[in-house]
Structures are given as structure tokens and as C-alpha cells.
Amino acid sequence: MKIALLALLGLALGALGGAALGIGAGLIWVEIFKTTSFEGYSGMLVFFTFMPLGAVIGGIGGALLFGIIAIRDAEIAIEREPVRRHDR
């Protein structure tokens, strides 16, 4: 259950961060390639193309990252038996 909840948290945080990075990337794209602003074309490009792509990529990446961290934490949390020394 812990792994699933952390994966959902990673999905949400990754989607938010990815959307923000997507907006930034879109604004950079508009400035570098001098996209026209006629009837709001550049704004629609940023918010209907770059932001959703960033959110999807960030959400998947965040979910995978948090899921892997949770799985590794579950593996580490297992108690190990102490090493027994053999007296000679």
C-alpha cells in the first residue's frame, strides 16, 4: 500500500513540476523561433501543447521515481540476521 501511495504522490508532484517546466520550455520555444502571436497563437501553443506534454512526462517520471524509491526502501527495511563468527 505504501508503494502505491508514494507512486500516486510522485504522479501528482511530477505532473505539477512537469507542467511548470513545459510552460517554461514553451515560452523559450516561442522566443527562440519567433512564433507569431496573431490571435493568441503563441499562448495556445504553450498551454495546449507544451504544458500537457510536460505534465504527462513529469507525471510518469515522478510516479516511476517515487515507486522505485518505495520498492527499494521496502527491500532495505527487511531485518537481516547478524553474521555469526566461527571460533577456531
Side-chain angles (χ1 to χ4, degrees):
M1 188 64 143
K2 174 184 166 184
I3 296 170
L5 289 175
L6 280 173
L8 284 175
L9 177 67
L11 176 71
L13 291 176
L16 287 173
L21 290 175
I23 291 172
L27 291 173
I28 291 170
W29 178 278
V30 167
E31 288 298 318
I32 290 175
F33 294 105
K34 305 293 184 204
T35 305
T36 181
S37 292
F38 180 71
E39 293 184 352
Y41 178 73
S42 61
M44 286 190 289
L45 175 68
V46 170
F47 286 98
F48 292 134
T49 303
F50 285 94
M51 186 178 70
L53 283 174
V56 168
I57 293 169
I60 292 171
L64 287 174
L65 179 68
F66 275 48
I68 290 171
I69 290 171
I71 289 171
R72 287 188 179 175
D73 185 46
E75 290 175 359
I76 294 170
I78 296 173
E79 291 184 23
R80 297 181 182 162
E81 292 188 24
V83 178
R84 297 181 184 181
R85 295 183 183 179
H86 297 285
D87 294 329
R88 293 180 188 216

Coordinates of all heavy atoms in Angstrom, one line a residue:
M1 N 0.8 -1.2 0.0 CA 0.0 0.0 0.0 C 0.9 1.3 0.0 O 0.5 2.2 -0.6 CB -0.9 0.0 1.2 CG -1.9 1.1 1.2 SD -3.0 0.8 -0.2 CE -4.5 1.3 0.5
K2 N 2.0 1.2 0.7 CA 2.9 2.3 0.8 C 3.5 2.6 -0.6 O 3.6 3.8 -0.9 CB 4.0 2.0 1.8 CG 5.1 3.0 1.9 CD 6.2 2.5 2.8 CE 7.5 3.3 2.7 NZ 8.5 2.8 3.5
I3 N 3.8 1.6 -1.3 CA 4.4 1.8 -2.7 C 3.3 2.5 -3.6 O 3.7 3.4 -4.3 CB 4.8 0.5 -3.2 CG1 5.9 -0.1 -2.4 CG2 5.3 0.6 -4.7 CD1 6.3 -1.5 -2.7
A4 N 2.1 2.1 -3.5 CA 1.1 2.7 -4.4 C 0.8 4.1 -4.0 O 0.7 5.0 -4.9 CB -0.2 1.9 -4.3
L5 N 0.8 4.4 -2.7 CA 0.5 5.8 -2.3 C 1.7 6.7 -2.7 O 1.5 7.8 -3.1 CB 0.3 5.8 -0.8 CG -1.1 5.3 -0.3 CD1 -1.1 5.3 1.2 CD2 -2.2 6.0 -0.9
L6 N 2.9 6.2 -2.5 CA 4.1 7.0 -2.9 C 4.1 7.2 -4.5 O 4.5 8.3 -4.9 CB 5.4 6.4 -2.4 CG 5.7 6.7 -1.0 CD1 6.9 5.9 -0.5 CD2 5.9 8.1 -0.7
A7 N 3.7 6.2 -5.2 CA 3.6 6.3 -6.7 C 2.6 7.4 -7.1 O 2.8 8.2 -8.0 CB 3.3 5.0 -7.3
L8 N 1.4 7.4 -6.4 CA 0.4 8.4 -6.7 C 0.9 9.8 -6.3 O 0.7 10.8 -7.0 CB -0.9 8.1 -5.9 CG -1.7 7.0 -6.5 CD1 -2.9 6.7 -5.6 CD2 -2.2 7.3 -7.9
L9 N 1.6 9.9 -5.2 CA 2.2 11.2 -4.8 C 3.2 11.6 -5.8 O 3.3 12.8 -6.2 CB 2.9 11.1 -3.4 CG 3.6 12.3 -2.9 CD1 2.6 13.4 -2.6 CD2 4.4 12.0 -1.7
G10 N 4.0 10.7 -6.3 CA 5.0 11.0 -7.4 C 4.3 11.5 -8.7 O 4.8 12.4 -9.4
L11 N 3.2 10.8 -9.0 CA 2.4 11.2 -10.1 C 1.9 12.6 -10.0 O 2.1 13.4 -11.0 CB 1.3 10.2 -10.3 CG 0.3 10.5 -11.5 CD1 1.0 10.2 -12.8 CD2 -1.0 9.7 -11.3
A12 N 1.4 13.0 -8.9 CA 0.8 14.3 -8.7 C 1.9 15.4 -8.7 O 1.8 16.4 -9.4 CB 0.0 14.4 -7.4
L13 N 3.0 15.1 -8.0 CA 4.1 16.1 -7.9 C 4.8 16.2 -9.3 O 5.2 17.3 -9.7 CB 5.1 15.7 -6.8 CG 4.5 15.9 -5.4 CD1 5.6 15.4 -4.4 CD2 4.1 17.3 -5.1
G14 N 5.0 15.1 -9.9 CA 5.7 15.1 -11.2 C 4.8 15.8 -12.3 O 5.4 16.5 -13.1
A15 N 3.5 15.6 -12.2 CA 2.6 16.3 -13.2 C 2.7 17.8 -13.0 O 2.8 18.6 -13.9 CB 1.2 15.8 -13.1
L16 N 2.7 18.3 -11.7 CA 2.8 19.7 -11.4 C 4.1 20.3 -11.9 O 4.2 21.3 -12.5 CB 2.6 20.0 -10.0 CG 1.1 19.8 -9.4 CD1 1.1 19.9 -7.9 CD2 0.2 20.8 -10.1
G17 N 5.2 19.6 -11.5 CA 6.5 20.1 -11.9 C 6.7 20.0 -13.4 O 7.3 20.9 -14.0
G18 N 6.2 18.9 -14.0 CA 6.4 18.8 -15.5 C 5.6 19.9 -16.2 O 6.0 20.4 -17.3
A19 N 4.4 20.2 -15.7 CA 3.6 21.2 -16.4 C 4.3 22.6 -16.3 O 4.4 23.3 -17.3 CB 2.2 21.3 -15.7
A20 N 4.9 22.9 -15.1 CA 5.6 24.1 -15.0 C 6.8 24.2 -15.9 O 7.1 25.2 -16.6 CB 6.1 24.3 -13.5
L21 N 7.6 23.1 -16.0 CA 8.7 23.0 -16.9 C 8.3 23.1 -18.4 O 9.0 23.6 -19.2 CB 9.5 21.7 -16.7 CG 10.3 21.7 -15.3 CD1 11.0 20.4 -15.2 CD2 11.3 22.8 -15.3
G22 N 7.1 22.5 -18.7 CA 6.6 22.6 -20.0 C 6.2 24.0 -20.4 O 6.5 24.4 -21.6
I23 N 5.7 24.7 -19.5 CA 5.4 26.1 -19.8 C 6.7 26.9 -20.0 O 6.7 27.7 -21.0 CB 4.6 26.8 -18.6 CG1 3.2 26.2 -18.5 CG2 4.5 28.3 -18.8 CD1 2.4 26.6 -17.3
G24 N 7.7 26.7 -19.2 CA 8.9 27.3 -19.4 C 9.6 27.0 -20.8 O 10.1 27.8 -21.5
A25 N 9.5 25.7 -21.1 CA 10.1 25.2 -22.4 C 9.3 25.9 -23.5 O 9.8 26.3 -24.6 CB 10.0 23.7 -22.5
G26 N 7.9 26.0 -23.4 CA 7.1 26.6 -24.4 C 7.4 28.0 -24.6 O 7.5 28.5 -25.7
L27 N 7.6 28.7 -23.5 CA 8.0 30.2 -23.6 C 9.3 30.4 -24.3 O 9.5 31.3 -25.1 CB 7.9 30.8 -22.2 CG 6.5 30.9 -21.6 CD1 6.7 31.5 -20.2 CD2 5.6 31.8 -22.4
I28 N 10.3 29.5 -24.0 CA 11.6 29.5 -24.6 C 11.4 29.3 -26.1 O 12.1 29.9 -26.9 CB 12.6 28.6 -23.9 CG1 12.9 29.1 -22.5 CG2 13.8 28.4 -24.7 CD1 13.7 28.1 -21.7
W29 N 10.6 28.3 -26.5 CA 10.4 27.9 -27.9 C 9.8 29.1 -28.6 O 10.3 29.4 -29.7 CB 9.4 26.8 -27.9 CG 9.1 26.3 -29.3 CD1 8.1 26.9 -30.1 CD2 9.6 25.3 -30.1 NE1 8.1 26.2 -31.3 CE2 9.0 25.2 -31.3 CE3 10.6 24.3 -29.8 CZ2 9.3 24.3 -32.3 CZ3 10.9 23.4 -30.8 CH2 10.3 23.4 -32.0
V30 N 8.8 29.8 -28.0 CA 8.2 30.9 -28.7 C 9.2 32.1 -28.9 O 9.2 32.7 -29.9 CB 7.0 31.4 -27.8 CG1 6.5 32.8 -28.3 CG2 5.9 30.4 -27.9
E31 N 10.1 32.3 -27.9 CA 11.1 33.4 -28.0 C 12.2 33.0 -29.1 O 12.6 33.9 -29.9 CB 11.7 33.7 -26.7 CG 10.8 34.4 -25.7 CD 10.3 35.7 -26.2 OE1 11.2 36.5 -26.8 OE2 9.2 36.0 -26.1
I32 N 12.6 31.8 -29.0 CA 13.7 31.4 -29.9 C 13.3 31.4 -31.4 O 13.9 31.9 -32.3 CB 14.3 30.0 -29.5 CG1 15.1 30.2 -28.2 CG2 15.2 29.5 -30.6 CD1 15.6 28.9 -27.7
F33 N 12.1 30.8 -31.6 CA 11.6 30.6 -33.0 C 10.7 31.7 -33.5 O 10.1 31.6 -34.6 CB 11.0 29.2 -33.2 CG 12.0 28.1 -33.0 CD1 12.0 27.3 -31.9 CD2 12.9 27.8 -34.0 CE1 12.9 26.3 -31.7 CE2 13.8 26.8 -33.9 CZ 13.9 26.1 -32.7
K34 N 10.5 32.7 -32.7 CA 9.7 33.9 -33.0 C 8.3 33.5 -33.5 O 7.9 33.9 -34.6 CB 10.4 34.8 -34.1 CG 11.8 35.2 -33.7 CD 11.8 36.2 -32.6 CE 13.2 36.6 -32.3 NZ 13.4 37.1 -30.9
T35 N 7.6 32.7 -32.7 CA 6.3 32.3 -33.1 C 5.4 33.5 -33.1 O 5.4 34.3 -32.2 CB 5.8 31.2 -32.1 OG1 6.7 30.1 -32.0 CG2 4.5 30.6 -32.5
T36 N 4.5 33.5 -34.1 CA 3.6 34.6 -34.2 C 2.6 34.6 -33.0 O 2.2 33.6 -32.5 CB 2.8 34.6 -35.5 OG1 1.9 35.7 -35.6 CG2 2.0 33.3 -35.7
S37 N 2.2 35.8 -32.6 CA 1.2 36.0 -31.5 C -0.2 36.4 -32.1 O -1.1 36.8 -31.4 CB 1.6 37.0 -30.5 OG 2.8 36.5 -29.8
F38 N -0.4 36.2 -33.4 CA -1.6 36.5 -34.0 C -2.8 35.7 -33.4 O -2.7 34.5 -33.4 CB -1.5 36.3 -35.5 CG -2.8 36.6 -36.3 CD1 -3.2 37.9 -36.4 CD2 -3.6 35.6 -36.8 CE1 -4.3 38.3 -37.1 CE2 -4.7 35.9 -37.5 CZ -5.1 37.3 -37.7
E39 N -3.8 36.4 -32.9 CA -4.9 35.8 -32.2 C -4.5 34.8 -31.1 O -5.2 33.8 -30.9 CB -5.8 35.1 -33.3 CG -6.5 36.1 -34.2 CD -7.5 35.4 -35.2 OE1 -7.6 34.2 -35.2 OE2 -8.2 36.2 -35.9
G40 N -3.4 35.1 -30.5 CA -3.1 34.2 -29.3 C -2.4 32.9 -29.7 O -2.4 32.0 -28.9
Y41 N -1.9 32.8 -30.9 CA -1.3 31.5 -31.3 C -0.2 31.0 -30.4 O -0.2 29.9 -30.1 CB -0.9 31.6 -32.8 CG -0.2 30.3 -33.3 CD1 -1.0 29.2 -33.5 CD2 1.2 30.2 -33.4 CE1 -0.4 28.0 -33.9 CE2 1.7 29.0 -33.8 CZ 0.9 28.0 -34.1 OH 1.5 26.8 -34.5
S42 N 0.7 31.9 -30.0 CA 1.8 31.5 -29.2 C 1.4 31.0 -27.8 O 1.9 30.1 -27.3 CB 2.8 32.7 -29.1 OG 2.3 33.8 -28.5
G43 N 0.4 31.7 -27.3 CA -0.2 31.3 -26.0 C -0.8 29.9 -26.1 O -0.7 29.1 -25.2
M44 N -1.6 29.7 -27.1 CA -2.3 28.4 -27.3 C -1.2 27.3 -27.5 O -1.4 26.2 -27.1 CB -3.2 28.4 -28.5 CG -4.5 29.2 -28.2 SD -5.8 29.0 -29.4 CE -5.0 30.0 -30.8
L45 N -0.1 27.6 -28.3 CA 0.9 26.6 -28.5 C 1.5 26.2 -27.1 O 1.7 25.0 -26.9 CB 2.0 27.2 -29.4 CG 3.2 26.4 -29.6 CD1 2.9 25.1 -30.4 CD2 4.3 27.2 -30.3
V46 N 1.8 27.2 -26.3 CA 2.4 26.9 -25.0 C 1.5 26.1 -24.1 O 1.8 25.1 -23.6 CB 2.9 28.2 -24.3 CG1 3.3 27.9 -22.9 CG2 4.0 28.8 -25.0
F47 N 0.2 26.6 -24.0 CA -0.7 26.0 -23.0 C -1.4 24.7 -23.5 O -2.0 24.0 -22.7 CB -1.6 27.0 -22.4 CG -1.0 28.0 -21.5 CD1 -0.5 29.2 -21.9 CD2 -0.7 27.6 -20.2 CE1 0.1 30.1 -21.1 CE2 -0.1 28.4 -19.3 CZ 0.4 29.7 -19.7
F48 N -1.5 24.5 -24.8 CA -2.2 23.4 -25.3 C -1.3 22.3 -25.8 O -1.7 21.2 -26.2 CB -3.2 23.7 -26.3 CG -4.4 24.5 -25.8 CD1 -4.9 25.6 -26.4 CD2 -5.0 24.1 -24.6 CE1 -5.9 26.4 -25.9 CE2 -6.1 24.8 -24.1 CZ -6.5 26.0 -24.8
T49 N 0.0 22.6 -25.9 CA 1.0 21.6 -26.4 C 2.1 21.3 -25.4 O 2.2 20.2 -25.0 CB 1.6 22.1 -27.7 OG1 0.6 22.4 -28.7 CG2 2.6 21.1 -28.3
F50 N 2.8 22.4 -25.0 CA 4.0 22.1 -24.1 C 3.6 21.8 -22.7 O 4.2 20.9 -22.1 CB 4.9 23.4 -24.2 CG 5.7 23.5 -25.4 CD1 5.3 24.2 -26.5 CD2 6.9 22.8 -25.5 CE1 6.0 24.3 -27.6 CE2 7.7 22.9 -26.6 CZ 7.2 23.6 -27.7
M51 N 2.5 22.5 -22.2 CA 2.1 22.2 -20.8 C 1.6 20.8 -20.6 O 2.0 20.0 -19.7 CB 1.1 23.2 -20.3 CG 0.8 23.0 -18.8 SD -0.3 24.2 -18.2 CE -1.9 23.7 -19.0
P52 N 0.7 20.3 -21.5 CA 0.2 18.9 -21.3 C 1.3 17.9 -21.5 O 1.4 16.9 -20.8 CB -0.9 18.7 -22.4 CG -1.3 20.1 -22.7 CD -0.1 21.0 -22.5
L53 N 2.2 18.1 -22.5 CA 3.3 17.2 -22.7 C 4.2 17.1 -21.5 O 4.6 16.0 -21.0 CB 4.1 17.5 -23.9 CG 3.5 17.2 -25.3 CD1 4.3 17.7 -26.4 CD2 3.4 15.7 -25.4
G54 N 4.5 18.3 -20.9 CA 5.4 18.3 -19.7 C 4.7 17.6 -18.6 O 5.3 16.9 -17.8
A55 N 3.4 17.8 -18.4 CA 2.6 17.2 -17.3 C 2.6 15.7 -17.4 O 2.8 15.0 -16.5 CB 1.2 17.7 -17.3
V56 N 2.4 15.2 -18.6 CA 2.4 13.7 -18.9 C 3.8 13.1 -18.6 O 3.9 12.1 -17.9 CB 1.9 13.4 -20.3 CG1 2.2 11.9 -20.6 CG2 0.5 13.7 -20.4
I57 N 4.8 13.7 -19.2 CA 6.2 13.2 -19.0 C 6.6 13.3 -17.5 O 7.2 12.4 -16.9 CB 7.2 13.9 -19.9 CG1 6.9 13.6 -21.4 CG2 8.6 13.6 -19.6 CD1 7.6 14.5 -22.4
G58 N 6.3 14.4 -16.9 CA 6.7 14.6 -15.5 C 5.9 13.7 -14.6 O 6.4 13.2 -13.6
G59 N 4.6 13.5 -14.9 CA 3.8 12.5 -14.0 C 4.3 11.1 -14.1 O 4.4 10.4 -13.1
I60 N 4.6 10.7 -15.3 CA 5.1 9.3 -15.5 C 6.5 9.2 -14.8 O 6.8 8.2 -14.1 CB 5.2 8.9 -16.9 CG1 3.8 8.8 -17.5 CG2 6.0 7.6 -17.1 CD1 3.7 8.6 -19.0
G61 N 7.3 10.2 -15.0 CA 8.7 10.1 -14.4 C 8.6 10.2 -12.9 O 9.3 9.4 -12.2
G62 N 7.7 11.0 -12.3 CA 7.6 11.1 -10.9 C 7.1 9.9 -10.3 O 7.5 9.4 -9.2
A63 N 6.1 9.3 -10.9 CA 5.5 8.0 -10.4 C 6.5 6.9 -10.4 O 6.6 6.1 -9.4 CB 4.3 7.6 -11.2
L64 N 7.3 6.8 -11.5 CA 8.3 5.8 -11.6 C 9.4 6.0 -10.5 O 9.8 5.1 -9.8 CB 8.9 5.7 -13.0 CG 8.1 5.1 -14.1 CD1 8.8 5.3 -15.4 CD2 7.8 3.7 -13.8
L65 N 9.8 7.2 -10.4 CA 10.9 7.6 -9.4 C 10.4 7.3 -8.0 O 11.2 6.6 -7.2 CB 11.3 9.0 -9.6 CG 12.4 9.5 -8.6 CD1 13.7 8.8 -9.0 CD2 12.5 11.0 -8.7
F66 N 9.3 7.7 -7.6 CA 8.8 7.5 -6.3 C 8.5 6.0 -6.0 O 8.7 5.5 -4.9 CB 7.5 8.3 -6.0 CG 7.8 9.7 -5.5 CD1 8.7 10.5 -6.2 CD2 7.2 10.3 -4.4 CE1 9.0 11.8 -5.8 CE2 7.4 11.5 -4.0 CZ 8.3 12.3 -4.7
G67 N 8.0 5.3 -7.0 CA 7.7 3.9 -6.9 C 9.0 3.1 -6.7 O 9.1 2.2 -5.9
I68 N 10.0 3.4 -7.5 CA 11.3 2.7 -7.3 C 11.9 3.0 -6.0 O 12.4 2.1 -5.3 CB 12.3 3.2 -8.5 CG1 11.8 2.6 -9.8 CG2 13.7 2.7 -8.2 CD1 12.5 3.1 -11.0
I69 N 11.8 4.3 -5.5 CA 12.3 4.6 -4.2 C 11.6 3.8 -3.1 O 12.2 3.3 -2.2 CB 12.3 6.1 -3.9 CG1 13.3 6.8 -4.8 CG2 12.5 6.4 -2.5 CD1 13.2 8.3 -4.8
A70 N 10.3 3.7 -3.2 CA 9.5 3.0 -2.2 C 9.8 1.5 -2.3 O 9.9 0.9 -1.2 CB 8.0 3.2 -2.5
I71 N 10.0 0.9 -3.4 CA 10.3 -0.5 -3.5 C 11.7 -0.8 -2.9 O 11.9 -1.7 -2.1 CB 10.3 -1.0 -5.0 CG1 8.9 -1.0 -5.5 CG2 11.0 -2.3 -5.2 CD1 8.7 -1.2 -7.0
R72 N 12.7 0.1 -3.2 CA 14.0 -0.1 -2.6 C 14.0 0.1 -1.1 O 14.7 -0.6 -0.4 CB 15.0 0.9 -3.2 CG 15.4 0.5 -4.6 CD 16.5 1.3 -5.1 NE 16.8 0.9 -6.5 CZ 17.7 1.5 -7.2 NH1 18.3 2.6 -6.8 NH2 18.0 1.1 -8.4
D73 N 13.2 1.0 -0.6 CA 13.0 1.2 0.8 C 12.4 0.0 1.5 O 12.8 -0.4 2.6 CB 12.2 2.4 1.1 CG 12.1 2.7 2.6 OD1 13.2 2.7 3.2 OD2 11.0 3.0 3.1
A74 N 11.5 -0.7 0.8 CA 10.8 -1.9 1.4 C 11.9 -3.0 1.4 O 11.9 -3.8 2.3 CB 9.6 -2.3 0.5
E75 N 12.7 -3.1 0.4 CA 13.8 -4.1 0.4 C 14.8 -3.9 1.5 O 15.3 -4.8 2.1 CB 14.5 -4.2 -0.9 CG 13.6 -4.7 -2.1 CD 14.3 -4.6 -3.4 OE1 15.5 -4.1 -3.5 OE2 13.7 -5.0 -4.4
I76 N 15.1 -2.7 1.7 CA 16.2 -2.3 2.8 C 15.6 -2.5 4.2 O 16.3 -2.9 5.1 CB 16.6 -0.9 2.6 CG1 17.4 -0.7 1.3 CG2 17.5 -0.5 3.7 CD1 17.7 0.7 0.9
A77 N 14.3 -2.3 4.3 CA 13.7 -2.4 5.7 C 13.7 -3.8 6.3 O 13.4 -4.0 7.4 CB 12.3 -1.8 5.6
I78 N 13.9 -4.8 5.5 CA 13.9 -6.2 6.0 C 15.0 -6.4 6.9 O 16.2 -6.0 6.7 CB 14.0 -7.2 4.8 CG1 12.8 -7.1 3.9 CG2 14.1 -8.6 5.3 CD1 12.9 -7.9 2.6
E79 N 14.7 -7.0 8.1 CA 15.7 -7.2 9.1 C 16.7 -8.3 8.6 O 16.2 -9.4 8.2 CB 15.1 -7.6 10.4 CG 14.4 -6.4 11.1 CD 13.9 -6.8 12.4 OE1 14.4 -7.8 13.0 OE2 12.9 -6.2 12.9
R80 N 17.9 -8.1 8.8 CA 18.9 -9.1 8.5 C 19.4 -9.8 9.7 O 19.5 -9.1 10.8 CB 20.1 -8.5 7.7 CG 19.6 -7.9 6.4 CD 20.8 -7.3 5.7 NE 20.3 -6.6 4.5 CZ 21.0 -5.8 3.8 NH1 22.2 -5.4 4.3 NH2 20.6 -5.2 2.7
E81 N 19.7 -11.0 9.6 CA 20.2 -11.7 10.8 C 21.7 -11.4 11.0 O 22.4 -11.2 10.0 CB 20.1 -13.2 10.6 CG 18.6 -13.7 10.6 CD 18.5 -15.2 10.6 OE1 19.5 -15.9 11.0 OE2 17.5 -15.7 10.2
P82 N 22.1 -11.2 12.2 CA 23.6 -10.9 12.4 C 24.5 -12.0 11.9 O 24.1 -13.2 12.0 CB 23.7 -10.7 13.9 CG 22.5 -11.4 14.5 CD 21.4 -11.4 13.4
V83 N 25.6 -11.6 11.5 CA 26.6 -12.6 11.0 C 27.2 -13.3 12.2 O 27.7 -12.7 13.1 CB 27.7 -11.9 10.2 CG1 28.7 -12.8 9.7 CG2 27.1 -11.1 9.0
R84 N 27.2 -14.6 12.1 CA 27.8 -15.4 13.2 C 29.3 -15.7 12.9 O 29.6 -16.1 11.8 CB 27.1 -16.7 13.4 CG 25.6 -16.5 13.8 CD 24.9 -17.8 14.1 NE 23.5 -17.5 14.4 CZ 22.7 -18.5 14.6 NH1 23.0 -19.7 14.6 NH2 21.4 -18.1 14.9
R85 N 30.1 -15.5 13.9 CA 31.5 -15.8 13.7 C 31.8 -17.2 14.2 O 31.3 -17.7 15.2 CB 32.4 -14.8 14.5 CG 32.2 -13.4 14.0 CD 33.1 -12.5 14.8 NE 32.9 -11.1 14.4 CZ 33.5 -10.1 14.9 NH1 34.4 -10.2 15.9 NH2 33.2 -8.9 14.4
H86 N 32.7 -17.8 13.4 CA 33.1 -19.2 13.8 C 34.4 -19.1 14.6 O 35.4 -18.6 14.0 CB 33.3 -20.1 12.6 CG 32.0 -20.2 11.8 ND1 31.0 -21.1 12.3 CD2 31.5 -19.7 10.7 CE1 30.0 -21.0 11.4 NE2 30.3 -20.2 10.4
D87 N 34.4 -19.6 15.8 CA 35.6 -19.6 16.6 C 36.5 -20.8 16.2 O 36.0 -21.9 16.1 CB 35.4 -19.6 18.1 CG 34.7 -18.3 18.5 OD1 35.0 -17.3 17.9 OD2 33.9 -18.4 19.5
R88 N 37.7 -20.6 16.0 CA 38.6 -21.7 15.6 C 39.5 -22.1 16.7 O 40.0 -21.5 17.5 CB 39.4 -21.4 14.4 CG 38.4 -21.3 13.2 CD 39.2 -20.9 12.0 NE 38.3 -20.6 10.9 CZ 38.4 -20.9 9.7 NH1 39.5 -21.6 9.3 NH2 37.6 -20.6 8.8

